[in-house]
Amino acid sequence: ERYARRAEKLLLSMEQGINASAKPDSITYTCVISIYAKSDSSSKARQAFAVLKRMLAAADSSIVADGCVVNTAAVVPSIHAFNAVLNACCFAGETEQQRNESFSILLETIKLIARPSLFVTADEVTYG
């Protein structure tokens, strides 16, 4: 969990523009989500999903026309980020309440994948 917090702190500094030359991209967000998914945190599903939502907010601020990203610096979510959140949901929760929360996040993530506006397609990893 320590590494996940450090990675998120770095992501936050990139989002805030502390270093103007380092802007987070899809890979940056996906890496932080994956680190949470692989951590030993009992709340990793919630933490991974929170980063995914920040990624989606960054993507919403990008300009997309006819399914193509116009802004080359834009954040474009990939199925890898969603799969990492799903993975976190499958291995999170020590208590029944945490497992229920993880299941709710899993369902919300699947609903997001189904949104046509995100231009992501479920793959063999998504379906497990």
Side-chain angles (χ1 to χ4, degrees), residues 39-50:
S39 75
D40 59 358
S41 172
S42 60
S43 61
K44 63 182 166 184
R46 181 174 2 102
Q47 293 163 319
F49 190 62

Side-chain angles (χ1 to χ4, degrees), residues 31-32 48 61 80 119:
C31 285
V32 175
S61 66
H80 303 291
F119 306 110

Side-chain angles (χ1 to χ4, degrees), residues 4-18:
R5 287 186 183 164
R6 289 174 66 189
E8 187 168 2
K9 185 177 179 182
L10 179 60
L11 174 62
L12 184 60
S13 70
M14 293 172 77
E15 289 173 331
Q16 293 173 343
I18 292 172

Side-chain angles (χ1 to χ4, degrees), residues 54-101:
R54 286 169 38 202
M55 179 184 196
L56 294 174
D60 284 344
S61 66
S62 303
I63 301 170
V64 178
D66 297 326
C68 298
V69 177
V70 176
N71 180 358
T72 57
V75 174
V76 181
S78 72
I79 194 61
H80 303 291
F82 290 90
N83 287 342
V85 173
L86 294 175
N87 181 272
C89 292
C90 291
F91 295 100
E94 297 171 356
T95 67
E96 185 174 345
Q97 180 181 1
Q98 289 170 334
R99 286 190 294 273
N100 288 339
E101 179 186 31

